[in-house]
Coordinates of all heavy atoms in Angstrom, one line a residue:
G1 N -47.3 -65.5 13.2 CA -45.9 -66.0 13.2 C -45.1 -65.8 14.4 O -45.6 -65.2 15.4
S2 N -43.9 -66.2 14.3 CA -43.0 -66.1 15.5 C -41.6 -65.5 15.1 O -41.2 -65.7 14.0 CB -42.7 -67.5 16.1 OG -43.9 -68.1 16.5
L3 N -41.0 -64.9 16.1 CA -39.6 -64.5 16.0 C -38.9 -64.7 17.3 O -39.5 -64.7 18.3 CB -39.5 -63.0 15.6 CG -39.9 -62.5 14.2 CD1 -39.9 -61.0 14.1 CD2 -38.8 -63.0 13.2
R4 N -37.6 -64.8 17.3 CA -36.8 -64.8 18.5 C -35.7 -63.7 18.4 O -34.9 -63.7 17.5 CB -36.1 -66.2 18.7 CG -35.4 -66.2 20.1 CD -34.7 -67.5 20.3 NE -33.4 -67.6 19.6 CZ -32.4 -68.4 19.9 NH1 -32.6 -69.3 20.9 NH2 -31.3 -68.4 19.2
L5 N -35.8 -62.8 19.3 CA -34.8 -61.7 19.4 C -33.7 -62.2 20.4 O -33.9 -62.9 21.4 CB -35.4 -60.5 19.9 CG -36.7 -59.9 19.2 CD1 -37.1 -58.6 19.8 CD2 -36.4 -59.8 17.7
S6 N -32.5 -61.7 20.1 CA -31.3 -61.9 20.9 C -30.7 -60.6 21.3 O -30.8 -59.6 20.6 CB -30.3 -62.8 20.2 OG -30.8 -64.0 19.9
C7 N -30.1 -60.6 22.5 CA -29.3 -59.4 22.9 C -28.0 -59.9 23.5 O -28.0 -60.5 24.5 CB -30.1 -58.7 24.0 SG -29.2 -57.3 24.8
A8 N -27.0 -59.6 22.7 CA -25.6 -60.0 23.2 C -25.1 -58.9 24.0 O -25.2 -57.7 23.7 CB -24.7 -60.2 21.9
T9 N -24.5 -59.3 25.2 CA -24.0 -58.3 26.1 C -22.5 -58.5 26.4 O -22.0 -59.6 26.2 CB -24.7 -58.4 27.5 OG1 -24.3 -59.6 28.2 CG2 -26.2 -58.5 27.3
S10 N -21.9 -57.5 26.8 CA -20.5 -57.5 27.2 C -20.2 -56.4 28.2 O -20.9 -55.4 28.3 CB -19.6 -57.4 26.0 OG -19.7 -56.2 25.3
G11 N -19.0 -56.5 28.9 CA -18.5 -55.4 29.7 C -18.6 -55.6 31.2 O -18.1 -54.8 31.9
R12 N -19.3 -56.6 31.6 CA -19.5 -56.9 33.1 C -20.0 -58.3 33.3 O -20.2 -59.0 32.3 CB -20.4 -55.8 33.7 CG -21.8 -55.8 33.3 CD -22.6 -54.7 34.0 NE -24.0 -54.8 33.6 CZ -24.9 -53.9 34.0 NH1 -24.6 -53.0 34.9 NH2 -26.2 -54.0 33.6
T13 N -20.2 -58.6 34.6 CA -20.7 -59.9 34.9 C -22.2 -60.0 34.7 O -23.0 -59.6 35.5 CB -20.4 -60.3 36.4 OG1 -18.9 -60.1 36.6 CG2 -20.8 -61.7 36.7
F14 N -22.5 -60.6 33.5 CA -23.9 -60.6 33.1 C -24.8 -61.3 34.1 O -26.0 -60.9 34.3 CB -24.0 -61.4 31.7 CG -25.3 -61.6 31.2 CD1 -26.1 -60.6 30.7 CD2 -25.9 -62.9 31.1 CE1 -27.3 -60.8 30.1 CE2 -27.1 -63.1 30.6 CZ -27.8 -62.1 30.1
S15 N -24.4 -62.4 34.7 CA -25.2 -63.2 35.6 C -25.6 -62.5 36.9 O -26.5 -63.0 37.6 CB -24.5 -64.5 36.0 OG -23.3 -64.3 36.6
D16 N -25.0 -61.3 37.2 CA -25.4 -60.5 38.4 C -26.5 -59.5 38.1 O -26.9 -58.9 39.1 CB -24.2 -59.8 38.9 CG -23.2 -60.7 39.6 OD1 -23.5 -61.8 40.0 OD2 -22.0 -60.2 39.8
Y17 N -27.0 -59.4 36.9 CA -27.9 -58.3 36.6 C -29.2 -58.9 36.0 O -29.2 -59.7 35.1 CB -27.3 -57.3 35.6 CG -26.1 -56.6 36.3 CD1 -24.8 -57.2 36.2 CD2 -26.2 -55.4 36.9 CE1 -23.7 -56.6 36.8 CE2 -25.2 -54.8 37.5 CZ -23.9 -55.4 37.4 OH -22.9 -54.7 38.0
S18 N -30.3 -58.3 36.4 CA -31.5 -58.5 35.7 C -31.5 -57.8 34.4 O -30.6 -57.0 34.1 CB -32.7 -58.0 36.5 OG -32.6 -56.6 36.8
M19 N -32.4 -58.2 33.5 CA -32.5 -57.6 32.1 C -33.9 -57.4 31.7 O -34.8 -58.1 32.2 CB -31.8 -58.6 31.1 CG -30.3 -58.8 31.4 SD -29.3 -57.4 31.0 CE -29.5 -57.3 29.2
G20 N -34.1 -56.6 30.7 CA -35.4 -56.3 30.2 C -35.5 -56.0 28.7 O -34.5 -55.8 28.1
W21 N -36.7 -56.1 28.3 CA -37.1 -55.8 26.9 C -38.2 -54.7 26.9 O -39.2 -54.9 27.6 CB -37.6 -57.0 26.1 CG -36.6 -58.0 25.7 CD1 -36.3 -59.2 26.3 CD2 -35.7 -58.0 24.6 NE1 -35.3 -59.9 25.7 CE2 -34.9 -59.1 24.6 CE3 -35.5 -57.0 23.6 CZ2 -33.9 -59.4 23.6 CZ3 -34.5 -57.3 22.6 CH2 -33.8 -58.5 22.7
F22 N -38.0 -53.7 26.1 CA -39.0 -52.7 25.8 C -39.3 -52.6 24.3 O -38.4 -53.0 23.5 CB -38.6 -51.4 26.4 CG -38.6 -51.3 27.9 CD1 -37.6 -51.9 28.7 CD2 -39.6 -50.6 28.6 CE1 -37.7 -51.9 30.0 CE2 -39.7 -50.6 30.0 CZ -38.7 -51.2 30.7
R23 N -40.4 -51.9 24.0 CA -40.6 -51.7 22.6 C -41.3 -50.3 22.4 O -41.9 -49.8 23.4 CB -41.5 -52.8 22.0 CG -43.0 -52.8 22.5 CD -43.7 -54.0 22.0 NE -45.1 -54.0 22.4 CZ -46.0 -55.0 22.2 NH1 -45.5 -56.1 21.6 NH2 -47.2 -54.9 22.7
Q24 N -41.2 -49.8 21.2 CA -41.8 -48.5 20.9 C -42.3 -48.5 19.5 O -41.5 -48.7 18.5 CB -40.8 -47.4 21.2 CG -41.4 -46.0 21.1 CD -40.5 -44.9 21.6 OE1 -39.3 -45.1 21.7 NE2 -41.1 -43.8 22.0
A25 N -43.6 -48.2 19.4 CA -44.2 -48.0 18.0 C -44.2 -46.6 17.7 O -44.2 -45.7 18.6 CB -45.6 -48.6 18.1
P26 N -44.3 -46.2 16.4 CA -44.3 -44.8 16.0 C -45.4 -44.0 16.6 O -46.6 -44.5 16.6 CB -44.5 -44.9 14.5 CG -43.9 -46.2 14.1 CD -44.3 -47.1 15.2
G27 N -45.1 -42.9 17.2 CA -46.0 -42.0 17.9 C -46.6 -42.5 19.2 O -47.5 -41.9 19.7
K28 N -46.0 -43.6 19.7 CA -46.5 -44.2 21.0 C -45.3 -44.1 22.0 O -44.1 -44.1 21.7 CB -47.0 -45.6 20.8 CG -48.2 -45.7 19.9 CD -48.7 -47.1 19.8 CE -49.2 -47.6 21.1 NZ -49.8 -49.0 21.0
E29 N -45.7 -44.2 23.3 CA -44.8 -44.2 24.4 C -44.1 -45.6 24.5 O -44.6 -46.6 24.1 CB -45.5 -44.0 25.7 CG -44.7 -43.8 26.9 CD -45.5 -43.5 28.2 OE1 -46.6 -43.2 28.0 OE2 -44.9 -43.5 29.2
R30 N -42.8 -45.6 24.9 CA -42.1 -46.8 25.1 C -42.8 -47.7 26.1 O -43.3 -47.3 27.2 CB -40.7 -46.5 25.7 CG -39.8 -47.6 25.9 CD -38.4 -47.2 26.1 NE -38.3 -46.2 27.1 CZ -37.2 -45.5 27.5 NH1 -36.1 -45.8 26.9 NH2 -37.3 -44.6 28.4
E31 N -42.9 -49.0 25.8 CA -43.8 -49.9 26.5 C -42.9 -51.0 27.0 O -42.1 -51.6 26.3 CB -44.8 -50.4 25.6 CG -45.8 -51.5 26.2 CD -46.7 -52.1 25.2 OE1 -46.5 -52.0 24.0 OE2 -47.7 -52.7 25.7
F32 N -43.2 -51.4 28.3 CA -42.5 -52.6 28.9 C -43.0 -53.8 28.3 O -44.2 -54.0 28.1 CB -42.8 -52.6 30.4 CG -42.4 -53.9 31.1 CD1 -41.0 -54.1 31.2 CD2 -43.3 -54.8 31.5 CE1 -40.6 -55.3 31.9 CE2 -42.9 -56.0 32.1 CZ -41.6 -56.2 32.3
V33 N -42.1 -54.7 28.0 CA -42.5 -56.0 27.3 C -42.2 -57.2 28.3 O -43.1 -58.0 28.6 CB -41.7 -56.3 26.0 CG1 -41.9 -57.6 25.5 CG2 -42.0 -55.2 25.0
A34 N -41.0 -57.3 28.8 CA -40.7 -58.4 29.7 C -39.4 -58.1 30.4 O -38.5 -57.3 30.0 CB -40.5 -59.7 28.8
A35 N -39.2 -58.8 31.6 CA -38.0 -58.7 32.4 C -37.7 -60.0 33.0 O -38.6 -60.8 33.3 CB -38.1 -57.6 33.4
I36 N -36.4 -60.2 33.3 CA -36.0 -61.5 33.9 C -34.9 -61.2 35.0 O -34.1 -60.3 34.8 CB -35.4 -62.4 32.8 CG1 -35.2 -63.8 33.4 CG2 -34.2 -61.9 32.2 CD1 -35.0 -64.9 32.3
S37 N -35.0 -61.9 36.1 CA -34.1 -61.7 37.2 C -32.7 -62.2 36.8 O -32.5 -62.9 35.8 CB -34.6 -62.4 38.4 OG -34.6 -63.8 38.2
W38 N -31.7 -61.9 37.6 CA -30.4 -62.2 37.3 C -30.1 -63.7 37.3 O -29.3 -64.2 36.5 CB -29.4 -61.5 38.3 CG -29.6 -61.9 39.7 CD1 -28.9 -62.9 40.4 CD2 -30.5 -61.4 40.7 NE1 -29.3 -62.9 41.7 CE2 -30.3 -62.0 41.9 CE3 -31.5 -60.4 40.6 CZ2 -31.1 -61.7 43.0 CZ3 -32.2 -60.1 41.7 CH2 -32.0 -60.7 42.9
T39 N -30.9 -64.5 38.0 CA -30.8 -65.9 38.0 C -31.6 -66.6 36.9 O -31.4 -67.8 36.6 CB -31.2 -66.5 39.3 OG1 -32.6 -66.2 39.6 CG2 -30.4 -65.9 40.5
G40 N -32.6 -65.9 36.4 CA -33.5 -66.5 35.5 C -34.7 -67.1 36.1 O -35.5 -67.7 35.4
D41 N -34.8 -67.1 37.4 CA -35.9 -67.8 38.1 C -37.2 -67.0 38.2 O -38.2 -67.6 38.5 CB -35.4 -68.0 39.6 CG -34.3 -69.1 39.6 OD1 -34.2 -69.9 38.7 OD2 -33.5 -69.0 40.6
N42 N -37.2 -65.7 37.9 CA -38.4 -64.9 38.0 C -38.5 -64.0 36.7 O -37.5 -63.6 36.2 CB -38.3 -64.0 39.2 CG -38.3 -64.7 40.5 OD1 -37.2 -64.9 41.1 ND2 -39.4 -65.2 40.9
E43 N -39.7 -63.8 36.3 CA -40.0 -63.1 35.1 C -41.2 -62.2 35.3 O -42.2 -62.5 36.0 CB -40.3 -64.1 33.9 CG -39.2 -65.1 33.6 CD -39.7 -66.2 32.8 OE1 -40.8 -66.1 32.2 OE2 -39.0 -67.3 32.8
Y44 N -41.2 -61.0 34.6 CA -42.3 -60.1 34.5 C -42.7 -60.0 33.0 O -41.8 -60.0 32.2 CB -42.0 -58.8 35.0 CG -41.8 -58.6 36.5 CD1 -41.0 -57.6 37.0 CD2 -42.4 -59.5 37.4 CE1 -40.7 -57.5 38.4 CE2 -42.2 -59.4 38.8 CZ -41.4 -58.3 39.3 OH -41.1 -58.2 40.6
Y45 N -44.0 -59.8 32.7 CA -44.5 -59.6 31.4 C -45.5 -58.5 31.4 O -46.3 -58.4 32.3 CB -45.1 -60.9 30.8 CG -44.1 -62.0 30.6 CD1 -44.0 -63.0 31.5 CD2 -43.3 -62.0 29.4 CE1 -43.0 -64.0 31.3 CE2 -42.4 -63.0 29.2 CZ -42.2 -64.0 30.2 OH -41.3 -65.0 30.0

C-alpha cells in the first residue's frame, strides 16, 4: 500500500532550508529516509 506524510513548518523562511525525513523502528537506530534541497531540485534517498 501507500501513504503520504506531510510536515507543516513555521517560524522562518522555509524556502531557504533543505529538509529531511528520518525513521526509527523499535530497538533500531534512527535511519535516514530522504532529503531535499531548499529549491527542491536535488534529492537524496
Side-chain angles (χ1 to χ4, degrees):
S2 299
L3 285 172
R4 189 183 74 163
L5 306 183
S6 298
C7 173
T9 76
S10 63
R12 64 182 181 180
T13 305
F14 176 71
S15 60
D16 284 344
Y17 296 86
S18 60
M19 297 288 294
W21 287 99
F22 288 76
R23 68 187 183 187
Q24 188 165 21
K28 297 182 67 177
E29 186 177 350
R30 183 169 48 187
E31 178 186 16
F32 170 73
V33 175
I36 189 167
S37 65
W38 62 97
T39 63
D41 292 333
N42 299 100
E43 303 163 17
Y44 292 151
Y45 293 97

